[in-house]
Amino acid sequence: FTAVPFGGRDGDVLRILAGDDATEVRIGGALVATLARGQYYQTTLTAATAVETTGRALVVQYANSYQVDGRVGDPTMVLVAANDQFATD
């Protein structure tokens, strides 16, 4: 997965939900969590970031509302597609 923050924001919420037990989550190559099925890891996204998992996972990015960062905009949720879901030809 590759997550890129929304422009003009002070940081987005990035949440990784494990679909398998013992799913290792790496962000920028560093191991940040080992999750059981149904558990999630959450962090703040401030720059383009590579997310790797050893098992099935759902990666979700949230843009905060203006009440959090003072920026104009509604809260938003985006499912981040796995890199292997993109065409290569």
Side-chain angles (χ1 to χ4, degrees):
F1 304 88
T2 302
V4 179
F6 295 108
R9 298 288 187 159
D10 292 336
D12 303 327
V13 174
L14 188 67
R15 186 177 289 175
I16 300 100
L17 174 67
D20 295 317
D21 285 330
T23 296
E24 293 181 354
V25 177
R26 287 183 170 76
I27 296 181
L31 180 64
V32 294
T34 301
L35 305 173
R37 181 180 179 193
Q39 288 184 320
Y40 66 88
Y41 173 79
Q42 182 172 303
T43 189
T44 301
L45 178 66
T46 57
T49 303
V51 177
E52 299 171 76
T53 63
T54 57
R56 295 177 302 142
L58 178 69
V59 178
V60 182
Q61 181 177 343
Y62 300 92
N64 296 309
S65 72
Y66 74 94
Q67 294 171 330
V68 173
D69 61 12
R71 307 290 175 119
V72 176
D74 294 325
T76 303
M77 180 187 92
V78 174
L79 299 178
V80 180
N83 292 343
D84 63 1
Q85 298 298 308
F86 292 96
T88 58
D89 52 338

